[in-house]
Amino acid sequence: MRAVVQRVKSASVSVDGKVISSTGPGLLCLIGIKTGDTEADQDYLCRKILSCKLWPSADSGRAWSESVSDRGGELLLASQFTLFARTVKGTKPDFHIAMAPTQAQEFYANFVERMRAAYVRDRVQDGIFGAMMDVALVNDGPVTIILDSILIYGAVAHAVDLPSRPAD
């Protein structure tokens, strides 16, 4: 799994001109799911998103001291299969690494539920899986990081060509 995590002052997702979800200060997380991802990948990204220190301390101002959980911020999750695009050959992106939509929809729904159960349920919003979404945000910083669950398995992976996890 991959997450592009952006610290935001506000964010929203609209479909067909209608706002589906919106948040105040917190994180906008674009979530990519690849073939072979498991519950272990969900657990890892859930923990990292909720605990990653992306804000300065409210008390001391010390940089990189507080997480979205520490701040009581909001989360907006949006599925984005294009995070696993390969562009090594030619000019047309190849999405074969991304999990098939029928599997990915249930996997993504489980991830959203995992995030809600691990945090504060009403502070976790999401878009509509598979929809053409307009994502709007007011970046805070800007602070943007990329989290990859595959890196927990010790693989040294190039961003455009991630290998599968080693067999157990």
Side-chain angles (χ1 to χ4, degrees):
M1 287 181 75
R2 178 173 293 154
V4 174
V5 179
Q6 296 180 292
R7 190 175 79 185
V8 298
K9 293 182 178 182
S10 62
S12 65
V13 171
S14 299
V15 175
D16 295 328
K18 180 183 176 196
V19 175
I20 302 301
S21 298
S22 64
T23 64
L27 298 174
L28 168 65
C29 303
L30 306 175
I31 306 297
I33 303 166
K34 69 172 181 44
T35 301
D37 281 341
T38 67
E39 287 186 15
D41 297 283
Q42 290 184 2
D43 286 338
Y44 175 78
L45 275 189
C46 180
R47 282 193 319 272
K48 284 300 248 187
I49 289 168
L50 292 175
S51 65
C52 200
K53 308 290 187 184
L54 300 176
W55 282 269
S57 167
D59 299 330
S60 70
R62 196 174 103 231
W64 314 112
S65 296
E66 294 184 354
S67 68
V68 69
S69 299
D70 297 332
R71 291 234 161 174
E74 298 180 70
L75 295 166
L76 179 54
L77 309 174
S79 63
Q80 189 170 354
F81 76 94
T82 60
L83 292 179
F84 281 107
R86 290 184 56 189
T87 57
V88 176
K89 291 168 48 174
T91 57
K92 183 179 177 186
D94 173 352
F95 301 107
H96 286 92
I97 293 173
M99 187 179 283
T102 52
Q103 289 176 281
Q105 184 169 12
E106 181 178 348
F107 192 89
Y108 175 74
N110 290 340
F111 178 70
V112 171
E113 185 53 38
R114 186 177 305 267
M115 292 293 292
R116 288 179 174 148
Y119 191 44
V120 179
R121 181 166 294 282
D122 64 352
R123 290 189 187 161
V124 179
Q125 306 298 320
D126 73 313
I128 297 177
F129 184 90
M132 183 61 78
M133 295 180 278
D134 295 329
V135 180
L137 68 134
V138 176
N139 228 322
D140 183 12
V143 172
T144 302
I145 64 167
I146 299 171
L147 300 173
D148 270 306
S149 65
I150 193 163
L151 300 179
I152 66 173
Y153 300 99
V156 178
H158 190 275
V160 297
D161 191 16
L162 292 173
S164 296
R165 239 184 344 272
D168 292 319

